[in-house]
Amino acid sequence: MDIAQIAGSRDDFQVVHHLTLRGSQVEIGRQLAERARSLGWAPQPIDPTVGRARRTWFERHWPQHHARLDGAAQVLGLDPDQDELALDGLGYVPAGSGCSALWCPPARATDGHGRIGRNYDFFTMTTTEIMGGAGPAPGELPMASRPHVISTVPDEGLASTVITMSDLDGCMDGVNEAGLAVMLLIADVTDAAPPEQFAPQVGLSSVQAPRFLVDTCETVEQAKQALLGAKHYDHGMGLHYLVADAHGGAFVWERGKDGSEHIIENPGEPLAVTNHLLHRNPDPANLPEDTPATFGTFGRLCALHECAKAATMSPAELRESLLRVATGADPAEPWRTTWSTVFDTHERTLATRFYLGDSAGVPRYTEELTFSARPGTPA
Protein backbone atom coordinates (compact mmCIF):
# COMPACT_ATOMS: atom_id res chain seq x y z
CA MET A 1 0.00 0.00 0.00
CA ASP A 2 1.29 3.41 -0.98
CA ILE A 3 -0.10 6.30 1.06
CA ALA A 4 0.55 10.00 0.64
CA GLN A 5 -0.91 13.16 2.13
CA ILE A 6 -1.85 15.19 -0.93
CA ALA A 7 -3.70 18.22 0.43
CA GLY A 8 -4.24 20.19 3.61
CA SER A 9 -2.36 20.63 6.85
CA ARG A 10 -3.13 20.74 10.58
CA ASP A 11 -4.49 24.28 10.18
CA ASP A 12 -6.85 23.42 7.30
CA PHE A 13 -10.36 21.99 7.45
CA GLN A 14 -9.52 19.00 5.23
CA VAL A 15 -6.47 16.78 5.18
CA VAL A 16 -6.63 14.46 2.16
CA HIS A 17 -4.74 11.18 1.72
CA HIS A 18 -4.25 9.20 -1.47
CA LEU A 19 -4.02 5.42 -1.15
CA THR A 20 -2.76 3.25 -4.01
CA LEU A 21 -3.58 -0.44 -3.59
CA ARG A 22 -2.20 -3.21 -5.80
CA GLY A 23 -2.32 -6.99 -5.89
CA SER A 24 -5.04 -9.60 -5.68
CA GLN A 25 -8.44 -8.61 -4.33
CA VAL A 26 -7.55 -10.47 -1.13
CA GLU A 27 -4.37 -8.42 -0.78
CA ILE A 28 -6.27 -5.21 -1.51
CA GLY A 29 -8.82 -6.12 1.17
CA ARG A 30 -6.01 -6.68 3.64
CA GLN A 31 -4.52 -3.25 2.87
CA LEU A 32 -7.89 -1.52 3.24
CA ALA A 33 -8.55 -3.21 6.57
CA GLU A 34 -5.10 -2.25 7.85
CA ARG A 35 -5.72 1.39 6.98
CA ALA A 36 -9.22 1.31 8.48
CA ARG A 37 -7.92 -0.19 11.75
CA SER A 38 -5.38 2.64 11.99
CA LEU A 39 -8.32 5.08 11.81
CA GLY A 40 -10.29 3.35 14.56
CA TRP A 41 -12.44 0.84 12.67
CA ALA A 42 -13.39 -2.47 14.28
CA PRO A 43 -15.66 -5.21 12.91
CA GLN A 44 -19.30 -4.99 13.91
CA PRO A 45 -21.21 -7.91 15.47
CA ILE A 46 -23.99 -9.19 13.26
CA ASP A 47 -26.76 -11.76 13.41
CA PRO A 48 -25.03 -14.94 12.14
CA THR A 49 -27.94 -15.76 9.82
CA VAL A 50 -27.65 -12.32 8.21
CA GLY A 51 -23.86 -12.59 8.12
CA ARG A 52 -24.02 -15.90 6.27
CA ALA A 53 -26.56 -14.52 3.76
CA ARG A 54 -24.43 -11.41 3.18
CA ARG A 55 -21.33 -13.49 2.37
CA THR A 56 -23.34 -15.68 0.01
CA TRP A 57 -24.80 -12.63 -1.77
CA PHE A 58 -21.37 -11.05 -2.21
CA GLU A 59 -19.89 -14.31 -3.48
CA ARG A 60 -22.60 -14.58 -6.16
CA HIS A 61 -22.98 -10.94 -7.19
CA TRP A 62 -19.83 -9.04 -6.12
CA PRO A 63 -16.92 -11.49 -5.98
CA GLN A 64 -14.36 -8.68 -5.79
CA HIS A 65 -15.80 -7.51 -2.49
CA HIS A 66 -16.16 -11.09 -1.24
CA ALA A 67 -12.44 -11.64 -1.83
CA ARG A 68 -11.56 -8.37 -0.08
CA LEU A 69 -13.48 -9.60 2.98
CA ASP A 70 -11.10 -12.56 3.09
CA GLY A 71 -8.23 -10.07 3.22
CA ALA A 72 -9.86 -8.25 6.13
CA ALA A 73 -10.25 -11.58 7.93
CA GLN A 74 -6.52 -12.20 7.54
CA VAL A 75 -5.71 -8.85 9.18
CA LEU A 76 -7.95 -9.69 12.14
CA GLY A 77 -6.83 -13.32 12.42
CA LEU A 78 -10.37 -14.57 11.78
CA ASP A 79 -11.84 -17.47 9.86
CA PRO A 80 -13.08 -15.89 6.56
CA ASP A 81 -16.15 -18.14 6.78
CA GLN A 82 -17.21 -16.85 10.20
CA ASP A 83 -20.69 -15.32 10.37
CA GLU A 84 -20.66 -13.37 13.64
CA LEU A 85 -18.79 -10.21 12.51
CA ALA A 86 -19.23 -7.91 9.51
CA LEU A 87 -15.79 -7.43 7.99
CA ASP A 88 -16.80 -4.60 5.63
CA GLY A 89 -18.21 -1.13 6.25
CA LEU A 90 -14.68 0.12 6.92
CA GLY A 91 -16.05 3.37 8.30
CA TYR A 92 -14.40 6.11 10.28
CA VAL A 93 -17.16 8.79 9.95
CA PRO A 94 -20.84 8.60 8.91
CA ALA A 95 -21.90 9.24 5.31
CA GLY A 96 -24.34 11.51 3.49
CA SER A 97 -24.46 14.71 1.48
CA GLY A 98 -26.42 17.40 -0.28
CA CYS A 99 -24.91 17.80 -3.72
CA SER A 100 -25.22 18.87 -7.35
CA ALA A 101 -24.07 17.15 -10.56
CA LEU A 102 -24.27 17.88 -14.29
CA TRP A 103 -23.48 15.44 -17.12
CA CYS A 104 -22.32 16.98 -20.39
CA PRO A 105 -22.36 14.30 -23.15
CA PRO A 106 -19.61 14.12 -25.79
CA ALA A 107 -21.88 15.57 -28.48
CA ARG A 108 -22.40 18.71 -26.39
CA ALA A 109 -18.74 19.17 -25.37
CA THR A 110 -16.41 21.48 -27.29
CA ASP A 111 -13.73 18.78 -27.45
CA GLY A 112 -15.98 15.69 -27.72
CA HIS A 113 -15.17 14.44 -24.19
CA GLY A 114 -18.06 13.40 -21.97
CA ARG A 115 -17.73 15.09 -18.57
CA ILE A 116 -19.55 15.34 -15.26
CA GLY A 117 -19.19 18.26 -12.89
CA ARG A 118 -20.15 17.58 -9.31
CA ASN A 119 -20.14 19.44 -5.98
CA TYR A 120 -20.07 17.38 -2.79
CA ASP A 121 -21.80 19.54 -0.18
CA PHE A 122 -21.68 18.49 3.44
CA PHE A 123 -21.82 19.72 7.02
CA THR A 124 -18.73 21.17 8.67
CA MET A 125 -19.79 19.69 12.02
CA THR A 126 -18.79 16.56 13.94
CA THR A 127 -20.84 13.39 14.24
CA THR A 128 -21.83 14.30 17.81
CA GLU A 129 -23.13 17.69 16.69
CA ILE A 130 -25.01 16.19 13.73
CA MET A 131 -26.71 13.75 16.08
CA GLY A 132 -27.91 16.60 18.32
CA GLY A 133 -25.07 17.01 20.81
CA ALA A 134 -24.26 20.44 22.22
CA GLY A 135 -20.70 20.28 20.96
CA PRO A 136 -17.98 17.93 19.71
CA ALA A 137 -16.54 15.21 21.91
CA PRO A 138 -12.93 15.76 23.05
CA GLY A 139 -10.61 15.40 20.06
CA GLU A 140 -13.51 14.76 17.63
CA LEU A 141 -12.96 16.02 14.09
CA PRO A 142 -15.63 17.24 11.63
CA MET A 143 -17.24 14.42 9.68
CA ALA A 144 -15.96 15.50 6.26
CA SER A 145 -12.48 16.61 7.30
CA ARG A 146 -10.47 13.48 6.40
CA PRO A 147 -11.46 12.24 2.91
CA HIS A 148 -9.45 9.64 1.01
CA VAL A 149 -8.70 9.24 -2.66
CA ILE A 150 -8.22 5.51 -3.30
CA SER A 151 -6.69 4.11 -6.49
CA THR A 152 -7.15 0.35 -6.80
CA VAL A 153 -5.12 -1.68 -9.30
CA PRO A 154 -6.14 -5.36 -8.98
CA ASP A 155 -4.26 -8.20 -10.65
CA GLU A 156 -7.56 -9.16 -12.26
CA GLY A 157 -10.51 -6.88 -12.89
CA LEU A 158 -11.11 -3.17 -13.38
CA ALA A 159 -8.77 -0.58 -11.97
CA SER A 160 -10.48 2.47 -10.47
CA THR A 161 -10.03 5.67 -8.51
CA VAL A 162 -12.64 6.77 -5.97
CA ILE A 163 -13.16 9.50 -3.39
CA THR A 164 -14.71 8.54 -0.08
CA MET A 165 -15.59 10.62 2.96
CA SER A 166 -16.51 7.78 5.26
CA ASP A 167 -16.12 4.12 4.32
CA LEU A 168 -12.80 3.00 2.86
CA ASP A 169 -14.65 0.21 1.04
CA GLY A 170 -17.34 2.61 -0.17
CA CYS A 171 -17.39 5.42 -2.73
CA MET A 172 -18.90 8.90 -3.07
CA ASP A 173 -17.28 9.62 -6.46
CA GLY A 174 -15.54 7.07 -8.70
CA VAL A 175 -14.31 6.29 -12.20
CA ASN A 176 -12.82 3.07 -13.58
CA GLU A 177 -10.41 2.29 -16.40
CA ALA A 178 -13.31 1.55 -18.78
CA GLY A 179 -14.55 5.14 -18.34
CA LEU A 180 -17.59 4.35 -16.18
CA ALA A 181 -18.14 7.18 -13.68
CA VAL A 182 -20.58 7.16 -10.77
CA MET A 183 -21.43 9.46 -7.87
CA LEU A 184 -23.99 9.49 -5.07
CA LEU A 185 -26.30 12.28 -3.90
CA ILE A 186 -29.08 12.54 -1.31
CA ALA A 187 -32.25 11.56 -3.16
CA ASP A 188 -34.79 13.58 -1.20
CA VAL A 189 -33.32 16.19 1.13
CA THR A 190 -36.72 16.91 2.71
CA ASP A 191 -36.97 13.28 3.82
CA ALA A 192 -33.37 12.81 4.99
CA ALA A 193 -32.86 11.78 8.61
CA PRO A 194 -30.05 10.43 10.78
CA PRO A 195 -29.85 6.64 10.75
CA GLU A 196 -31.62 4.75 13.52
CA GLN A 197 -29.01 1.99 13.45
CA PHE A 198 -26.04 0.91 11.37
CA ALA A 199 -26.57 -2.87 11.31
CA PRO A 200 -25.36 -4.30 7.97
CA GLN A 201 -27.98 -6.01 5.84
CA VAL A 202 -27.88 -8.33 2.84
CA GLY A 203 -26.98 -6.56 -0.39
CA LEU A 204 -25.47 -3.13 -1.04
CA SER A 205 -25.40 -0.30 1.46
CA SER A 206 -25.84 3.24 0.15
CA VAL A 207 -22.11 3.96 -0.13
CA GLN A 208 -21.20 0.49 -1.42
CA ALA A 209 -23.36 0.80 -4.56
CA PRO A 210 -20.98 3.15 -6.45
CA ARG A 211 -17.99 0.95 -5.58
CA PHE A 212 -19.95 -2.10 -6.74
CA LEU A 213 -20.51 -0.43 -10.13
CA VAL A 214 -16.90 0.63 -10.73
CA ASP A 215 -15.77 -2.88 -9.75
CA THR A 216 -18.17 -4.77 -11.99
CA CYS A 217 -19.39 -2.58 -14.90
CA GLU A 218 -17.91 -0.95 -18.00
CA THR A 219 -21.00 0.67 -19.57
CA VAL A 220 -24.23 2.30 -18.47
CA GLU A 221 -26.22 -0.65 -19.84
CA GLN A 222 -24.28 -3.02 -17.62
CA ALA A 223 -24.75 -0.63 -14.70
CA LYS A 224 -28.52 -0.52 -15.19
CA GLN A 225 -28.72 -4.31 -15.08
CA ALA A 226 -26.41 -4.45 -12.06
CA LEU A 227 -28.47 -1.95 -10.05
CA LEU A 228 -31.81 -3.48 -11.01
CA GLY A 229 -30.55 -6.94 -10.09
CA ALA A 230 -29.04 -5.96 -6.74
CA LYS A 231 -30.47 -5.72 -3.25
CA HIS A 232 -30.09 -2.28 -1.65
CA TYR A 233 -30.48 -0.76 1.78
CA ASP A 234 -30.08 2.75 3.19
CA HIS A 235 -28.75 4.00 6.50
CA GLY A 236 -31.22 6.75 7.37
CA MET A 237 -31.23 8.69 4.10
CA GLY A 238 -31.98 7.41 0.62
CA LEU A 239 -29.50 8.17 -2.13
CA HIS A 240 -29.66 8.35 -5.90
CA TYR A 241 -26.80 7.90 -8.35
CA LEU A 242 -25.62 9.56 -11.55
CA VAL A 243 -23.83 7.07 -13.82
CA ALA A 244 -22.11 7.83 -17.16
CA ASP A 245 -19.72 6.01 -19.47
CA ALA A 246 -17.08 6.66 -22.12
CA HIS A 247 -19.58 5.96 -24.92
CA GLY A 248 -21.80 8.95 -24.13
CA GLY A 249 -24.49 7.17 -22.11
CA ALA A 250 -25.77 8.45 -18.77
CA PHE A 251 -28.66 7.90 -16.36
CA VAL A 252 -29.82 8.63 -12.83
CA TRP A 253 -30.99 5.66 -10.75
CA GLU A 254 -33.32 6.19 -7.79
CA ARG A 255 -35.96 4.46 -5.72
CA GLY A 256 -39.44 5.75 -4.98
CA LYS A 257 -40.98 5.87 -1.53
CA ASP A 258 -42.81 2.62 -2.37
CA GLY A 259 -39.53 0.88 -3.24
CA SER A 260 -40.06 1.18 -7.01
CA GLU A 261 -36.90 1.60 -9.07
CA HIS A 262 -36.52 4.36 -11.66
CA ILE A 263 -34.00 5.04 -14.42
CA ILE A 264 -34.02 8.65 -15.68
CA GLU A 265 -32.27 9.44 -18.97
CA ASN A 266 -31.93 12.34 -21.41
CA PRO A 267 -30.16 10.70 -24.38
CA GLY A 268 -27.61 12.88 -26.13
CA GLU A 269 -28.42 15.84 -23.88
CA PRO A 270 -27.14 17.16 -20.54
CA LEU A 271 -28.53 15.53 -17.41
CA ALA A 272 -28.59 17.36 -14.07
CA VAL A 273 -29.37 15.99 -10.61
CA THR A 274 -29.44 17.56 -7.16
CA ASN A 275 -31.33 16.45 -4.03
CA HIS A 276 -34.93 15.74 -5.00
CA LEU A 277 -36.45 12.73 -6.75
CA LEU A 278 -36.31 13.31 -10.50
CA HIS A 279 -39.02 10.79 -11.28
CA ARG A 280 -41.45 12.84 -9.18
CA ASN A 281 -40.33 16.15 -10.72
CA PRO A 282 -39.57 15.28 -14.36
CA ASP A 283 -39.89 18.80 -15.81
CA PRO A 284 -37.03 21.12 -14.77
CA ALA A 285 -39.08 24.09 -16.01
CA ASN A 286 -41.90 23.29 -13.58
CA LEU A 287 -40.31 22.71 -10.18
CA PRO A 288 -41.65 23.71 -6.76
CA GLU A 289 -40.30 26.75 -4.96
CA ASP A 290 -37.47 26.10 -2.54
CA THR A 291 -38.14 26.33 1.19
CA PRO A 292 -35.74 26.36 4.16
CA ALA A 293 -36.08 22.55 4.23
CA THR A 294 -35.10 21.91 0.59
CA PHE A 295 -31.45 23.02 0.79
CA GLY A 296 -31.89 24.91 -2.50
CA THR A 297 -32.27 21.70 -4.49
CA PHE A 298 -34.80 23.06 -7.00
CA GLY A 299 -32.91 26.30 -7.57
CA ARG A 300 -29.63 24.46 -8.06
CA LEU A 301 -31.18 22.16 -10.66
CA CYS A 302 -32.63 25.14 -12.54
CA ALA A 303 -29.25 26.87 -12.47
CA LEU A 304 -27.49 23.82 -13.90
CA HIS A 305 -30.08 23.49 -16.67
CA GLU A 306 -29.59 27.16 -17.50
CA CYS A 307 -25.82 26.62 -17.73
CA ALA A 308 -26.36 23.65 -20.08
CA LYS A 309 -28.62 25.48 -22.56
CA ALA A 310 -25.78 26.47 -24.89
CA ALA A 311 -25.12 24.32 -27.96
CA THR A 312 -21.79 23.21 -26.51
CA MET A 313 -20.04 23.44 -23.16
CA SER A 314 -16.30 23.79 -22.63
CA PRO A 315 -14.49 22.31 -19.61
CA ALA A 316 -14.12 25.84 -18.23
CA GLU A 317 -17.86 26.45 -18.59
CA LEU A 318 -18.64 23.19 -16.80
CA ARG A 319 -16.41 24.27 -13.93
CA GLU A 320 -18.13 27.66 -13.90
CA SER A 321 -21.50 25.91 -13.53
CA LEU A 322 -20.19 24.20 -10.38
CA LEU A 323 -19.14 27.55 -8.93
CA ARG A 324 -22.60 28.89 -9.63
CA VAL A 325 -24.28 26.28 -7.40
CA ALA A 326 -21.54 25.90 -4.76
CA THR A 327 -22.26 26.82 -1.14
CA GLY A 328 -20.79 30.10 0.09
CA ALA A 329 -18.97 31.03 3.28
CA ASP A 330 -21.96 32.13 5.35
CA PRO A 331 -20.81 31.74 8.98
CA ALA A 332 -24.41 31.03 10.00
CA GLU A 333 -24.62 27.96 7.76
CA PRO A 334 -22.86 24.76 8.96
CA TRP A 335 -22.10 23.35 5.50
CA ARG A 336 -19.78 23.95 2.58
CA THR A 337 -18.96 22.42 -0.80
CA THR A 338 -16.32 20.15 0.67
CA TRP A 339 -15.00 19.10 -2.72
CA SER A 340 -15.75 19.84 -6.37
CA THR A 341 -14.90 17.30 -9.08
CA VAL A 342 -14.87 17.16 -12.87
CA PHE A 343 -14.90 13.64 -14.36
CA ASP A 344 -13.60 13.09 -17.89
CA THR A 345 -14.99 9.74 -19.04
CA HIS A 346 -12.84 9.80 -22.20
CA GLU A 347 -9.60 10.26 -20.26
CA ARG A 348 -10.76 8.13 -17.29
CA THR A 349 -9.84 10.89 -14.83
CA LEU A 350 -11.33 12.87 -12.01
CA ALA A 351 -10.01 16.33 -11.14
CA THR A 352 -10.89 17.64 -7.69
CA ARG A 353 -10.59 20.77 -5.56
CA PHE A 354 -10.79 20.13 -1.80
CA TYR A 355 -12.14 22.63 0.75
CA LEU A 356 -9.51 23.98 3.18
CA GLY A 357 -11.49 26.59 5.10
CA ASP A 358 -12.82 30.14 4.82
CA SER A 359 -10.61 33.18 4.31
CA ALA A 360 -11.97 36.74 4.46
CA GLY A 361 -15.49 35.44 3.92
CA VAL A 362 -14.58 33.30 0.89
CA PRO A 363 -14.23 29.47 0.80
CA ARG A 364 -10.62 28.44 0.19
CA TYR A 365 -9.77 25.37 -1.94
CA THR A 366 -6.75 23.44 -3.12
CA GLU A 367 -5.57 23.68 -6.67
CA GLU A 368 -7.28 21.12 -8.88
CA LEU A 369 -5.72 17.68 -8.34
CA THR A 370 -6.13 15.16 -11.18
CA PHE A 371 -6.25 11.38 -10.66
CA SER A 372 -6.37 8.69 -13.32
CA ALA A 373 -8.11 5.33 -13.19
CA ARG A 374 -5.79 3.90 -15.85
CA PRO A 375 -3.07 1.68 -14.37
CA GLY A 376 0.39 3.15 -14.75
CA THR A 377 -0.87 6.63 -15.62
CA PRO A 378 0.59 9.26 -13.27
CA ALA A 379 -1.78 11.53 -11.40
Side-chain angles (χ1 to χ4, degrees), residues 43-64:
Q44 181 177 352
I46 190 172
D47 182 316
T49 301
V50 175
R52 188 175 311 114
R54 293 184 82 239
R55 288 193 300 103
T56 299
W57 193 91
F58 290 139
E59 185 175 19
R60 291 174 179 171
H61 301 284
W62 192 7
Q64 299 91 337

Side-chain angles (χ1 to χ4, degrees), residues 53 57 135 140 159 178 182 188 240 263 324 331 343:
W57 193 91
E140 187 180 17
V182 57
D188 185 356
H240 53 186
I263 292 173
R324 184 171 173 179
F343 297 78

Side-chain angles (χ1 to χ4, degrees), residues 27 36 49 56 59 82 87 101 143 158 190 215 254 262 285 299 314 329:
E27 291 166 337
T49 301
T56 299
E59 185 175 19
Q82 63 82 37
L87 303 184
M143 294 168 66
L158 293 165
T190 62
D215 273 353
E254 60 189 23
H262 300 268
S314 70

Side-chain angles (χ1 to χ4, degrees), residues 15-376:
V15 175
V16 187
H17 288 88
H18 184 200
L19 306 183
T20 303
L21 313 174
R22 298 181 176 87
S24 68
Q25 295 289 359
V26 173
E27 291 166 337
I28 288 168
R30 186 169 64 244
Q31 295 167 57
L32 281 172
E34 288 170 348
R35 175 62 178 169
R37 286 185 83 187
S38 75
L39 296 169
W41 169 80
Q44 181 177 352
I46 190 172
D47 182 316
T49 301
V50 175
R52 188 175 311 114
R54 293 184 82 239
R55 288 193 300 103
T56 299
W57 193 91
F58 290 139
E59 185 175 19
R60 291 174 179 171
H61 301 284
W62 192 7
Q64 299 91 337
H65 186 69
H66 184 267
R68 292 196 290 263
L69 295 182
D70 288 352
Q74 291 180 7
V75 169
L76 298 167
L78 297 173
D79 180 350
D81 293 329
Q82 63 82 37
D83 300 320
E84 292 78 22
L85 296 171
L87 303 184
D88 55 351
L90 305 179
Y92 52 104
V93 289
S97 64
C99 312
S100 307
L102 174 62
W103 159 247
C104 179
R108 295 288 298 276
T110 54
D111 60 359
H113 288 204
R115 288 187 178 86
I116 308 167
R118 100 83 120 233
N119 289 337
Y120 187 83
D121 302 335
F122 199 75
F123 293 100
T124 54
M125 299 185 292
T126 64
T127 302
T128 300
E129 292 169 303
I130 290 290
M131 296 300 182
E140 187 180 17
L141 294 171
M143 294 168 66
S145 65
R146 296 297 183 268
H148 282 70
V149 179
I150 303 178
S151 297
T152 305
V153 187
D155 292 340
E156 297 181 4
L158 293 165
S160 62
T161 292
V162 308
I163 304 175
T164 181
M165 185 194 78
S166 53
D167 287 8
L168 291 182
D169 55 351
C171 169
M172 279 69 186
D173 294 356
V175 62
N176 67 24
E177 63 177 308
L180 187 87
V182 57
M183 63 222 59
L184 59 77
L185 305 89
I186 284 181
D188 185 356
V189 71
T190 62
D191 198 39
E196 296 180 1
Q197 48 83 31
F198 289 99
Q201 300 174 38
V202 179
L204 302 172
S205 74
S206 303
V207 299
Q208 286 179 331
R211 164 59 84 176
F212 168 68
L213 293 182
V214 297
D215 273 353
T216 63
C217 300
E218 299 185 12
T219 67
V220 296
E221 293 305 319
Q222 291 176 3
K224 291 175 190 176
Q225 293 300 310
L227 286 170
L228 291 170
K231 288 172 60 69
H232 303 261
Y233 62 95
D234 298 318
H235 282 313
M237 56 188 72
L239 304 180
H240 53 186
Y241 307 92
L242 174 58
V243 185
D245 67 20
H247 308 287
F251 69 95
V252 171
W253 184 91
E254 60 189 23
R255 290 202 307 273
K257 295 182 182 297
D258 60 354
S260 57
E261 296 174 299
H262 300 268
I263 292 173
I264 297 95
E265 299 179 274
N266 193 20
E269 298 295 329
L271 180 61
V273 58
T274 51
N275 306 119
H276 58 272
L277 292 168
L278 295 183
H279 75 272
R280 297 184 66 188
N281 298 273
D283 183 2
N286 188 29
L287 294 174
E289 293 292 326
D290 277 309
T291 71
T294 63
F295 199 63
T297 181
F298 302 118
R300 285 183 282 119
L301 191 80
C302 289
L304 291 175
H305 271 279
E306 186 67 27
C307 291
K309 279 185 176 179
T312 58
M313 177 176 279
S314 70
E317 289 168 332
L318 181 59
R319 287 170 171 83
E320 181 62 32
S321 74
L322 297 179
L323 291 174
R324 184 171 173 179
V325 297
T327 59
D330 185 344
E333 302 293 356
W335 50 73
R336 295 292 183 271
T337 296
T338 56
W339 66 73
S340 184
T341 298
V342 173
F343 297 78
D344 187 323
T345 58
H346 176 81
E347 295 294 336
R348 282 68 162 165
T349 58
L350 53 84
T352 305
R353 299 163 61 244
F354 292 97
Y355 172 68
L356 297 177
D358 296 340
S359 179
V362 178
R364 182 167 52 90
Y365 290 86
T366 66
E367 295 296 319
E368 195 169 75
L369 304 173
T370 301
F371 308 92
S372 176
R374 284 175 164 147

